[in-house]
């Protein structure tokens, strides 16, 4: 039986604020995330995290707009597929398609807000909860394995790692989501320019609205860059404070 003192200690650990990170940690984790996003092989591996957030965004938007969520598939080539049912047009379908490319940096923005308050443990546990919720809707073995491994790694770090390791992991992950939300939009437009992508989110949006695919690609890019700037300023708070600049 869990004692009241044990529950109190658990909630204090979960909701309590950790010490401010060293400015050097904030800088180095941002540089690591930038290198991962900018280089071919690391990006090819780490892109799975972006795909998880992308498909999770589709799924959440579908549920919130009243569509029926049938399942999510994650593939070894870092692509994914979210299956929903409902009206093929209308606001619900538009928001569901729109949510995919916007989800990774928006999740990163939420993480940056938590890290700005030094809620590192809370951030890691929320990540585990979201991954478990998504696991319920996974419909292929690779996708399930990806989520189990990812969620297990986050849980292990949140429970067993030192505060310094937790901080480095959390800041790197959030920087990666913010920065990694921009590259897929660039890749999308490149692929569309070369051979067209009638099944892409932007082309599907163009098919159910009067606006062309490039409008949606541009919207993805603008929103994700703005979110990156806002989230980046939140994360860079310790750096700005150390430099004598008061962050918002």
């Amino acid at each position: 039986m869990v004692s009241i003192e044990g529950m109190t200690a658990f909630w204090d650990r979960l909701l309590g604020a950790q010490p401010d990170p060293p400015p050097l940690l904030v800088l180095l984790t941002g540089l690591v995330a930038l290198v991962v996003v900018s280089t071919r092989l690391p990006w090819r591996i780490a892109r799975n995290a972006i795909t998880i957030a992308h498909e999770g965004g589709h799924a959440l938007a579908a549920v919130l707009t009243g569509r029926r969520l049938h399942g999510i598939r994650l593939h070894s080539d870092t692509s994914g597929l979210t299956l929903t049912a409902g009206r093929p047009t209308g606001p619900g379908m538009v928001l569901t398609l729109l949510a995919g490319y916007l989800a990774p940096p928006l999740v990163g923005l939420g993480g940056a807000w938590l890290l700005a308050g030094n809620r590192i443990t809370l951030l890691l546990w929320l990540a585990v909860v979201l991954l478990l919720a998504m696991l319920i809707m996974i419909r292929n073995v690779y996708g399930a394995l990806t989520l189990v491994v990812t969620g297990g790694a986050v849980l292990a770090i949140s429970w067993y790692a030192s505060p310094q390791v937790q901080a480095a992991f959390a800041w790197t992950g959030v920087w990666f989501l913010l920065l990694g939300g921009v590259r897929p939009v660039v890749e999308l437009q490149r692929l569309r320019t070369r051979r067209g992508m009638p099944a892409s989110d932007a082309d599907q949006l163009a098919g159910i609205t009067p606006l062309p695919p490039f409008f949606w690609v541009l919207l993805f890019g603008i929103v994700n860059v703005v979110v990156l700037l806002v989230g980046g300023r939140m994360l860079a708070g310790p750096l700005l404070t150390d430099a004598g600049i008061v962050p918002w």
Side-chain angles (χ1 to χ4, degrees), residues 18-164:
Q18 284 70 48
D20 289 335
L24 182 60
L25 180 143
V26 177
L27 176 62
L28 290 179
T29 53
L31 290 176
V32 168
L34 181 60
V35 169
V36 171
V37 172
S38 303
T39 51
R40 187 171 182 176
L41 182 58
W43 169 249
R44 172 67 177 76
I45 298 171
R47 198 184 196 280
N48 284 289
I50 300 297
T51 303
I52 291 172
H54 180 112
E55 300 305 329
H58 283 315
L60 179 60
V63 172
L64 291 178
T65 57
R67 296 182 63 81
R68 294 186 299 279
L69 178 60
H70 286 174
I72 303 169
R73 299 177 69 88
L74 304 174
H75 304 135
S76 58
D77 63 354
T78 71
S79 66
L81 178 65
T82 299
L83 302 172
T84 68
R87 289 184 57 194
T89 59
M93 189 62 187
V94 170
L95 290 173
T96 299
L97 290 169
L98 192 62
Y101 279 96
L102 302 183
L106 287 176
V107 172
L109 182 63
W113 179 74
L114 288 172
L115 290 182
N118 292 335
R119 297 302 196 276
I120 299 172
T121 303
L122 179 59
L123 169 64
L124 296 177
W125 276 64
L126 282 175
V128 172
V129 170
L130 291 174
L131 290 168
L132 286 175
M134 189 172 175
L135 180 62
I136 298 172
M137 296 308 301
I138 288 292
R139 295 295 181 264
N140 67 322
V141 174
Y142 179 83
L145 182 62
T146 299
L147 288 181
V148 168
V149 170
T150 304
V154 177
L155 180 61
I157 289 172
S158 69
W159 196 256
Y160 297 109
S162 66
Q164 294 80 8

